[in-house]
Amino acid sequence: MRLQPTLRDVMGALAAEGHLDRTPREDLAPALAAATPWYLTALMGLGGWVAALFLLGFILLAVSSAPPPFFLVAGLFLCSAAVGLRFASGHPFVGQLCLAGSMAGAALVIGAAGSMAKSVAAGAGAAIVLEVGLVVLYPDRFRRTLSAAVAGGAFAVLMARTEQAAAMDIGISLLAWAAGGWWLARSSIERTDFHVLHTPVGRGLTLSTLATLLVLLMAPVAGLGHKRLLPGWLTGVGLTLGLVALVALLLHEQAAAQAKRAMVLGATLALGLVTLQTPGVAAAAAVLVLALRHRDAVLLVMGAGFLSAFGVAYYYNLQVTLLVKSAALLGSGVLLLAARHVLLVGEDSP
Amino acid sequence: MPRDPLDVAATPERLRALARTGALSPEALDRALDIVFAPPTAAAWRRSLSVLLLAVGAILAVSGVVFFFAYNWADMARMAKFALLAALIAAGAFGAFHLGPERFSGQVTLTSAAMLVGALLAVYGQEYQTGADAWGLFVGWAALILPWVLVARFPPLWLIEVLLLDVGLMAFWSQVATPGRILEVAPLLFALNGVAWAAFEVLDHLETPWLMGRWLPRALAVLALGSLGVPAVATIIVPREIGPTGVLALLLLLALLPAVYAYFRLVRRDLLMLTLALTGAMSLFTTFAGRVLFSDLDAEVFGFFLMSLIVLAEVGGAAVWLMREARALREP
């Protein structure tokens, strides 16, 4: 299943429409260098994490008796220096140094803010402000993705601190809608001066939504967090509404016939109802549909990976019995297989 | 990495880079972005949705069945459980052959049936409390589904087969052969994964059509190198506690990593494998540096600072090196 069109496809279409005299084969080097392969990004990101942890360990041990404001100033200095240096040079060595510096700096700022106010919520608030700033200012796709994910996660922490199940449910739904809305606005955002923000912010918000769901499910099993914050039916309703709205917009985009719209929306709603107590299914379905719409392989991997991790977390979730879980999973699975059957009626399936 | 540069994905970044060089006019860039952002056609949606619905639907349905039997419903008779599972497996197998094991739908159906074989063995152990070790379940499961794996020619099912054998081997080693000394299984685990890796590299070299790209040989390479990596790293940190198996794993890895790099640089041209080999080498070196600084020199605070510099230098150097290699690999 090939997701994105290739340069050959696009160049061919441009040539056919008279926008291009020839395929610029000799000018392809900059285009190829413009995108770093995912595994290189992963290696550099992982290296940045490890270096940041050592740097953080060094700072905390070297000046362990310093008051929290010192760490706040040191963290802000590290973040500012990292942003300035990264703008000045794109060399991979400098990039790694800045990445590690900005990560260690952000951890210092968040920890110091929480410590000074003696409040986790203050730390989460500082994380949102700082990471939103880094999303805009730090010129690196990986760091922007991470910043968006941390900001989304900090928002979830703020909701969790209310210790109200409804606030948590609404918080997850808001995160999911923000991620979905951001992806749907791709065509508009990519044509503005902020185009570099679109993909990293979209992936970061998606990651924070899925990670929040997983953490909430697993936390009580690991003896952390409160059972009352477990994603409940209200999360299911929020995510189902998001999924139905997403599917409705995509059907509108395809100018689908009324009968087809009603059938697809009905099936989507049925999926949401069957899995109200299993909100991971609707979340994964939305991410996978968005991945296909935007031909984004990273989103596809994120959705598939989340579905697997969710299955494991859901198995250990003590809120409902295995029999109820079994019915929800079996029901949603059969529904999707039936939907495929309807989709392919009269067609040759792959 | 595609062999022809024109076969890479047309991302907005790449198109903008082309426009910056003047290869695309502003109008052409605008039109190119239109093409890239355009929604998939109805036919493309149908194609991708049919794959997605089948894969996710099968995963959810099989999970539902597994959860059902894990519930261990006391009111359900023993034979009813076996009969239900056996009927589902038989239906899966017949369905797969009806659909055609060479088609995606048949392959997914056969994979679902293969997963249910594991559930059947688990229910057998649950019902009869045989007291058998877990390794028997995994090895038996792998053996029972092997004919389907051979027939389906479906890379995910091959990966499941190898993983079952891996888990079975590890369980045998930790429960029967040398209880409590799991790391000693590393050379055998490497041999198992290494043979599978080599076999799929050969199939890839022969351009076997059902391989679906290079993801399976790469995943098997991670398993093979990883099975040596864990004891090798442990040997660097606590050599006396691991014993000769760890030293063997370390020596094997030290010999293998340059060979892997040379092969995928000079013969097969695969940047991901070069990255993997370099990551393995960096992991060993970082562990060694950490041991010298924190254990041998007792560097403590300054050790943390030096470690951060070492990691930055390693990864920065690797990034520069690999980007240069990427350019070299694109040369005809």
Side-chain angles (χ1 to χ4, degrees):
Chain A
M1 185 168 61
R2 204 184 76 188
L3 287 175
Q4 286 178 308
T6 61
L7 282 180
R8 185 188 304 281
D9 299 332
V10 175
M11 297 301 163
L14 291 179
E17 292 172 13
H19 289 290
L20 210 59
D21 300 332
R22 58 179 176 84
T23 300
R25 189 172 274 277
E26 63 274 25
D27 302 326
L28 283 176
L32 296 171
T36 311
W38 66 266
Y39 40 89
L40 256 183
T41 308
L43 172 65
M44 288 155 78
L46 186 69
W49 266 104
V50 176
L53 286 176
F54 281 121
L55 191 58
L56 202 57
F58 167 68
I59 294 169
L60 292 175
L61 286 173
V63 283
S64 54
S65 56
F70 170 82
F71 291 113
L72 184 74
V73 174
L76 286 172
F77 171 76
L78 271 177
C79 289
S80 316
V83 170
L85 200 58
R86 187 66 179 76
F87 259 108
S89 171
H91 193 278
F93 273 115
V94 178
Q96 278 304 112
L97 182 66
C98 294
L99 186 61
S102 72
M103 285 180 186
L108 287 176
V109 170
I110 295 164
S115 175
M116 283 162 68
K118 291 187 172 51
S119 144
V120 173
I128 293 175
V129 174
L130 179 71
E131 297 294 353
V132 168
L134 286 173
V135 163
V136 178
L137 295 174
Y138 196 97
D140 176 79
R141 179 180 271 213
F142 175 80
R143 187 64 178 92
R144 283 182 163 135
T145 306
L146 182 69
S147 291
V150 173
F155 172 73
V157 169
L158 276 182
M159 293 295 109
R161 293 304 293 173
T162 64
E163 301 205 357
Q164 298 296 317
M168 198 67 244
D169 285 326
I170 293 168
I172 294 176
S173 302
L174 285 176
L175 262 181
W177 293 342
W182 184 265
W183 277 110
L184 289 173
R186 184 185 190 195
S187 187
S188 315
I189 297 171
E190 286 274 10
R191 287 168 195 282
T192 67
D193 290 341
F194 300 106
H195 60 82
V196 286
L197 301 185
H198 183 269
T199 304
V201 171
R203 288 177 183 167
L205 287 175
T206 309
L207 185 62
S208 61
T209 309
L210 301 181
T212 302
L213 271 171
L214 273 183
V215 168
L216 287 176
L217 267 177
M218 286 307 285
V221 179
L224 307 162
H226 299 295
K227 277 185 194 166
R228 64 173 172 274
L229 291 182
L230 277 168
W233 65 269
L234 194 53
T235 302
V237 170
L239 294 177
T240 300
L241 287 177
L243 179 63
V244 170
L246 170 67
V247 171
L249 281 168
L250 295 180
L251 286 166
H252 176 72
E253 192 177 66
Q254 289 288 319
Q258 286 299 329
K260 191 175 175 185
R261 281 186 202 210
M263 195 169 66
V264 175
L265 286 175
T268 310
L269 197 59
L271 178 71
L273 290 176
V274 170
T275 59
L276 267 190
Q277 293 284 349
T278 324
V281 174
V287 173
L288 291 171
V289 169
L290 278 171
L292 294 182
R293 165 62 185 86
H294 293 292
R295 305 178 181 94
D296 191 302
V298 175
L299 268 191
L300 197 63
V301 171
M302 232 186 250
F306 168 75
L307 195 62
S308 314
F310 174 79
V312 176
Y314 188 55
Y315 182 86
Y316 291 106
N317 172 234
L318 303 174
Q319 210 175 13
V320 284
T321 66
L322 277 170
L323 195 61
V324 174
K325 292 174 192 174
S326 159
L329 291 174
L330 201 54
S332 50
V334 169
L335 191 66
L336 292 185
L337 293 174
R340 179 179 184 271
H341 180 73
V342 173
L343 180 81
L344 294 178
V345 166
E347 305 243 354
D348 190 26
S349 73
Chain B
M1 180 181 291
R3 289 183 176 109
D4 189 326
L6 277 173
D7 289 330
V8 299
T11 62
E13 296 77 29
R14 286 192 169 123
L15 295 171
R16 287 195 184 95
L18 277 178
R20 278 196 295 275
T21 64
L24 290 182
S25 66
E27 297 75 31
L29 173 65
D30 218 33
R31 180 66 193 120
L33 290 176
D34 277 342
I35 295 169
V36 171
F37 296 143
T41 61
W45 263 120
R46 202 174 299 118
R47 237 183 353 260
S48 46
L49 271 181
S50 98
V51 171
L52 186 72
L53 290 171
L54 179 61
V56 178
I59 290 170
L60 291 174
V62 170
S63 306
V65 173
V66 171
F67 277 44
F68 175 79
F69 286 100
Y71 177 69
N72 198 8
W73 201 349
D75 291 343
M76 194 171 182
R78 178 181 287 172
M79 289 316 291
K81 288 180 188 174
F82 290 137
L84 184 56
L85 264 173
L88 285 171
I89 293 168
F94 281 117
F97 286 98
H98 173 71
L99 290 164
E102 72 290 345
R103 293 167 76 189
F104 183 68
S105 45
Q107 290 166 329
V108 170
T109 312
L110 203 51
T111 304
S112 304
M115 298 312 291
L116 292 178
V117 170
L120 180 65
L121 293 177
V123 169
Y124 182 81
Q126 190 184 57
E127 288 298 319
Y128 290 105
Q129 298 290 324
T130 55
D133 287 322
W135 71 269
L137 184 147
F138 291 105
V139 174
W141 185 355
L144 285 172
I145 65 170
L146 184 60
W148 291 349
V149 177
L150 292 169
V151 170
R153 298 196 290 184
F154 188 45
L157 191 51
W158 268 106
L159 185 61
I160 290 169
E161 174 77 11
V162 175
L163 286 174
L164 287 176
L165 289 173
D166 278 351
V167 177
L169 186 58
M170 284 194 286
F172 175 77
W173 219 257
S174 63
Q175 292 169 344
V176 181
T178 56
R181 287 183 291 167
I182 180 94
L183 286 182
E184 292 191 4
V185 75
L188 274 179
L189 208 53
F190 167 70
L192 170 65
N193 291 313
V195 167
W197 173 24
F200 278 95
E201 283 296 347
V202 171
L203 288 175
D204 180 55
H205 192 69
L206 296 172
E207 300 190 355
T208 308
W210 53 267
L211 261 191
M212 300 175 169
R214 277 196 48 76
W215 74 265
L216 183 58
R218 286 166 170 175
L220 292 169
V222 172
L223 287 178
L225 295 176
S227 53
L228 290 179
V230 175
V233 163
T235 299
I236 293 172
I237 300 170
V238 279
R240 289 198 189 101
E241 287 174 33
I242 307 302
T245 314
V247 177
L248 177 65
L250 181 59
L251 291 175
L252 266 174
L253 204 53
L254 287 174
L256 200 62
L257 289 175
V260 168
Y261 195 94
Y263 180 75
F264 288 100
R265 172 68 179 84
L266 302 171
V267 184
R268 289 294 289 146
R269 293 187 168 214
D270 185 342
L271 187 65
L272 190 147
M273 294 300 292
L274 301 189
T275 309
L276 182 65
L278 220 48
T279 305
M282 286 192 298
S283 305
L284 293 181
F285 181 75
T286 308
T287 311
F288 178 71
R291 191 202 123 164
V292 169
L293 281 172
F294 294 116
S295 179
D296 300 346
L297 299 178
D298 224 0
E300 289 189 352
V301 179
F302 195 57
F304 277 91
F305 182 67
L306 279 181
M307 280 304 291
S308 76
L309 290 186
I310 288 169
V311 174
L312 287 175
E314 274 181 324
V315 179
V320 172
W321 179 262
L322 289 168
M323 283 171 188
R324 197 175 296 159
E325 290 289 64
R327 279 195 294 277
L329 290 180
R330 281 197 289 268
E331 306 279 315

